Amino acid sequence: MKHPTIHDVAREAGVSKSLVSLVMRGSDKVSPTSREAVLRATKKLSYRPNAAARTMVRQRSYVIGVMVSNLHNPFFADVIDGIDMAVTDASYRSILTTGNREPRRERLAVTTLLEMRVDGLILLSPVMHRKHTIEASRSVPTVVVGKAMRAATVASVTNDDRTGAAMVVDHLFELGHSRIAHIDGGSEAGAQPRRAGYERAMQGHGLENQIQTVSGGFTEEDGRVGMRRLLVGGTWPTAVFAANDLAAFGALEVLDAEGIDVPGVISVVGYDNTALATNHRLGLTTVDQPRHDMGRMAAELILAAIASAGTAVNHAVLTPKLIVRGSTGPPSP
Amino acid sequence: MKHPTIHDVAREAGVSKSLVSLVMRGSDKVSPTSREAVLRATKKLSYRPNAAARTMVRQRSYVIGVMVSNLHNPFFADVIDGIDMAVTDASYRSILTTGNREPRRERLAVTTLLEMRVDGLILLSPVMHRKHTIEASRSVPTVVVGKAMRAATVASVTNDDRTGAAMVVDHLFELGHSRIAHIDGGSEAGAQPRRAGYERAMQGHGLENQIQTVSGGFTEEDGRVGMRRLLVGGTWPTAVFAANDLAAFGALEVLDAEGIDVPGVISVVGYDNTALATNHRLGLTTVDQPRHDMGRMAAELILAAIASAGTAVNHAVLTPKLIVRGSTGPPSP
DNA sequence: CTACACGATTGGAACGTTCCAATTTTAAGA
DNA sequence: TCTTAAAATTGGAACGTTCCAATCGTGTAG
């Protein structure tokens, strides 16, 4: 259980510790003989370099720390995948911590990363107070994904919610809808711009007096409540745009229970293109965020910031894509 | 961007570095005056202890490393949550790496953890070759979750797949089914014992000649392929037990497309009780693994192994629970 | 007023690397 | 064979902590 050190390897191979270090780092100024001997010793002792020691002397860990607010959301798996790719390509490594959506634990998760002296910090939809994000960003290059951050020291990667929402409205308009309602996402990440995008697109099509928004959220229950609210009035909308897939599912459930045909009577659209949207019986029309690219972009921003010693702070906004499935169709005449 | 050190704090507070160290570690043999001064200095400089340096001298990192084979599987989120709880309670910390199901990347993920000198290693359903797990276990206490490991140095936490599968068969048998088919999980973690449990339970009910297994896997596509295969023969089964929820959804999709009623004509059961199982229109009958407890147990095994210097290797097997939902019912006469 | 005990504080060594400057070895040319 | 350049190898300092043994100060008992 005691880890061998570079000295043990040196002794075993009959060379100096410096030479072992050279071999481990793949230097080309080592004779084949020595390299061979060192490698053999390394294998025999199953030596593994000590990252802590290396970090100490190099003053760099070559590690990017990623804090995931919520591992339960499969959205992040793809983002992390993108991060991992880009980071590995640059011969950095990535480690994750998770805050389980609780601000306290998020902060602990970030602290862990910071104490380990990661060279860069990526925060995936943090829910902790923004001042803690900003504080972290003062000691290490930081990028936030999935949440707009207006702060000079924090980079960010988001999808263009405004445009995504507009795409939804455009799609429905082209199908012939005009009574298009929106169940909004309350104060959740991205909800505000989606709502704004919806409203502006409605105006763009001359439907300003058809704008109908009910306040909701990002859960199924929020969707149910919102949908019920929309069914109370005299004239129903012919299409409903929910702020995310989960809420859309809640809406669908209510429509199902009421025996209202989708998309025959009412079309439904979500946002996020989660696995559920694919799996649902009829398939949910939704907006896909380029998750993998968002991750890759986040990694690239971080690496650039590291390379430039923190001067290059950027905000990347990626364009989402409309995915049309069975839950939308032309309105009944 | 340059991190302040304990020396900077000492200078600022007008004390020695040792005193600062004492305060940081919460010692009670420090005068209130000094503590106050040190705390003020740490705040002013926003000092954060350097974990790498601490790990060096303490020869312990107080970090548990977790390698997750596949972040896309929401199953692990709960396990990780359980790990995190237990680890935090013991004032350790946890960090994650992910291998995205690729053996090569898994190995890199484990290497990263090992080089960081984690005090314990938890592997969540590793797909890499077992020899690499065993190798890792020789340098640090290791526990594998979700996959049986017969190795003297590796602890493990699994659910009793055999019993879980038997529960499914029992349930279907009680409903009156006899033509119960199984879409198995190929070589995935837990697939083999689930299949064995299915077969033994069938025998237990005197249904040995009704045993019908088609080879599948853990993806939706595997479920689709398996289901189509089952529909080719002359007599259809009246119930299908898929090796996991995702495969079950694939099967459901095919049945839906063919217009075959579930559970009227064919009942379907999955395994894992993922969020999808709850959300699906009719609810999927499935088997719930005590994910949170599995994580907690894994953490406890690791902490025990660390405390006992690696002597206490254990294998914990937790009992799963059948969750009955709308996808199963009595067979049509 | 002195001695002593005890609490508070301190300096130095050690942890396992990297990197630099210095040294040794080898090879080539005369 | 000698000289010199190039290649290979080396020891030591440094990184930021912890922990130990040693020292410093202060109050109290005699």
Side-chain angles (χ1 to χ4, degrees), chain A residues 136-299:
Chain A
S137 77
R138 270 196 290 262
S139 63
V140 72
T142 302
V143 37
V144 169
V145 177
K147 195 175 182 181
M149 278 288 296
R150 281 231 96 41
T153 52
V154 183
S156 70
V157 177
T158 48
N159 94 107
D160 190 344
D161 290 297
R162 201 174 289 262
T163 299
M167 285 170 168
V168 171
V169 174
D170 293 352
H171 165 64
L172 293 168
F173 179 78
E174 276 160 27
L175 283 172
H177 292 273
S178 55
R179 290 206 304 285
I180 303 169
H182 178 47
I183 301 175
D184 86 354
S187 57
E188 300 276 350
Q192 197 277 326
R194 284 174 205 175
R195 180 185 170 136
Y198 156 78
E199 290 173 353
R200 211 179 38 175
M202 289 295 277
Q203 288 160 7
H205 291 299
L207 301 174
E208 47 277 320
N209 43 9
Q210 302 286 2
I211 289 175
Q212 183 184 11
T213 307
V214 296
S215 61
F218 273 2
T219 70
E220 245 182 311
E221 180 58 17
D222 291 326
R224 280 192 286 262
V225 171
M227 193 66 233
R228 282 198 208 97
R229 195 102 52 92
L230 288 173
L231 293 178
V232 166
T235 41
W236 293 349
T238 61
V240 174
F241 165 38
N244 78 346
D245 284 356
L246 223 48
F249 279 110
L252 280 174
E253 215 176 287
V254 169
L255 292 171
D256 227 32
E258 299 286 331
I260 299 168
D261 187 53
V262 176
V265 178
I266 299 185
S267 288
V268 174
V269 185
Y271 205 109
D272 279 353
N273 192 24
T274 54
L276 270 71
T278 330
N279 283 318
H280 189 270
R281 180 172 39 123
L282 46 68
L284 179 69
T285 294
T286 187
V287 179
D288 183 67
Q289 301 190 41
R291 296 174 261 214
H292 198 277
D293 290 341
M294 287 171 78
R296 177 168 275 281
M297 182 60 77

Side-chain angles (χ1 to χ4, degrees), chain B residues 40-118:
Chain B
R40 206 189 343 268
T42 56
K43 204 140 292 166
K44 179 170 176 197
L45 304 179
S46 51
Y47 165 75
R48 268 201 193 69
N50 182 323
R54 196 188 318 153
T55 299
M56 279 262 72
V57 54
R58 291 237 245 168
Q59 296 290 81
R60 286 256 192 142
S61 58
Y62 291 90
V63 171
I64 302 297
V66 182
M67 194 286 293
V68 200
S69 64
N70 180 15
L71 275 180
H72 291 81
N73 188 340
F75 177 84
F76 295 118
D78 287 316
V79 177
I80 290 166
D81 206 45
I83 291 172
D84 227 50
M85 293 294 210
V87 155
T88 307
D89 288 352
S91 32
Y92 273 69
R93 293 184 177 180
S94 65
I95 62 175
L96 309 170
T97 56
T98 169
N100 236 68
R101 255 186 184 161
E102 298 162 34
R104 274 177 57 91
R105 287 176 66 188
E106 276 196 8
R107 278 203 279 154
L108 182 63
V110 170
T111 301
T112 300
L113 259 14
L114 258 19
E115 292 188 352
M116 288 188 147
R117 294 295 187 265
V118 295

Side-chain angles (χ1 to χ4, degrees), chain A residues 9-322:
Chain A
V9 175
R11 193 171 334 110
E12 174 72 29
V15 297
S16 74
K17 64 174 192 0
S18 305
L19 209 253
V20 176
S21 175
L22 249 13
V23 173
M24 292 315 290
R25 285 174 292 129
S27 162
D28 60 347
K29 27 187 94 265
V30 176
S31 72
T33 329
S34 308
R35 162 168 291 117
E36 185 54 30
V38 169
L39 257 19
R40 207 187 344 266
T42 292
K43 205 139 292 167
K44 179 170 175 197
L45 304 178
S46 51
Y47 166 75
R48 254 188 247 290
N50 182 324
R54 196 189 314 150
T55 299
M56 280 260 74
V57 54
R58 290 237 242 167
Q59 296 290 80
R60 285 262 193 135
S61 59
Y62 291 91
V63 171
I64 302 298
V66 182
M67 196 284 292
V68 200
S69 65
N70 180 14
L71 275 180
H72 291 81
N73 189 339
F75 177 82
F76 296 117
D78 287 317
V79 176
I80 290 168
D81 205 45
I83 291 173
D84 227 50
M85 293 296 210
V87 156
T88 307
D89 287 353
S91 31
Y92 272 70
R93 295 185 175 179
S94 66
I95 62 176
L96 309 171
T97 56
T98 169
N100 236 67
R101 254 188 185 156
E102 298 162 36
R104 274 178 55 90
R105 289 176 64 189
E106 275 195 9
R107 277 203 280 154
L108 181 63
V110 170
T111 301
T112 299
L113 260 13
L114 257 20
E115 292 188 353
M116 289 190 144
R117 294 295 188 265
V118 295
D119 291 346
L121 187 62
I122 300 180
L123 306 177
L124 303 186
S125 297
V127 300
M128 62 185 189
H129 194 285
R130 55 177 262 127
K131 78 179 171 199
H132 294 118
T133 300
I134 292 170
E135 192 189 333
S137 77
R138 270 196 290 262
S139 63
V140 72
T142 302
V143 37
V144 169
V145 177
K147 195 175 182 181
M149 278 288 296
R150 281 231 96 41
T153 52
V154 183
S156 70
V157 177
T158 48
N159 94 107
D160 190 344
D161 290 297
R162 201 174 289 262
T163 299
M167 285 170 168
V168 171
V169 174
D170 293 352
H171 165 64
L172 293 168
F173 179 78
E174 276 160 27
L175 283 172
H177 292 273
S178 55
R179 290 206 304 285
I180 303 169
H182 178 47
I183 301 175
D184 86 354
S187 57
E188 300 276 350
Q192 197 277 326
R194 284 174 205 175
R195 180 185 170 136
Y198 156 78
E199 290 173 353
R200 211 179 38 175
M202 289 295 277
Q203 288 160 7
H205 291 299
L207 301 174
E208 47 277 320
N209 43 9
Q210 302 286 2
I211 289 175
Q212 183 184 11
T213 307
V214 296
S215 61
F218 273 2
T219 70
E220 245 182 311
E221 180 58 17
D222 291 326
R224 280 192 286 262
V225 171
M227 193 66 233
R228 282 198 208 97
R229 195 102 52 92
L230 288 173
L231 293 178
V232 166
T235 41
W236 293 349
T238 61
V240 174
F241 165 38
N244 78 346
D245 284 356
L246 223 48
F249 279 110
L252 280 174
E253 215 176 287
V254 169
L255 292 171
D256 227 32
E258 299 286 331
I260 299 168
D261 187 53
V262 176
V265 178
I266 299 185
S267 288
V268 174
V269 185
Y271 205 109
D272 279 353
N273 192 24
T274 54
L276 270 71
T278 330
N279 283 318
H280 189 270
R281 180 172 39 123
L282 46 68
L284 179 69
T285 294
T286 187
V287 179
D288 183 67
Q289 301 190 41
R291 296 174 261 214
H292 198 277
D293 290 341
M294 287 171 78
R296 177 168 275 281
M297 182 60 77
E300 278 164 12
L301 285 184
I302 273 293
L303 293 170
I306 293 170
S308 74
T311 29
V313 170
N314 272 297
H315 299 276
V317 179
L318 308 194
T319 308
K321 211 171 80 186
L322 182 75

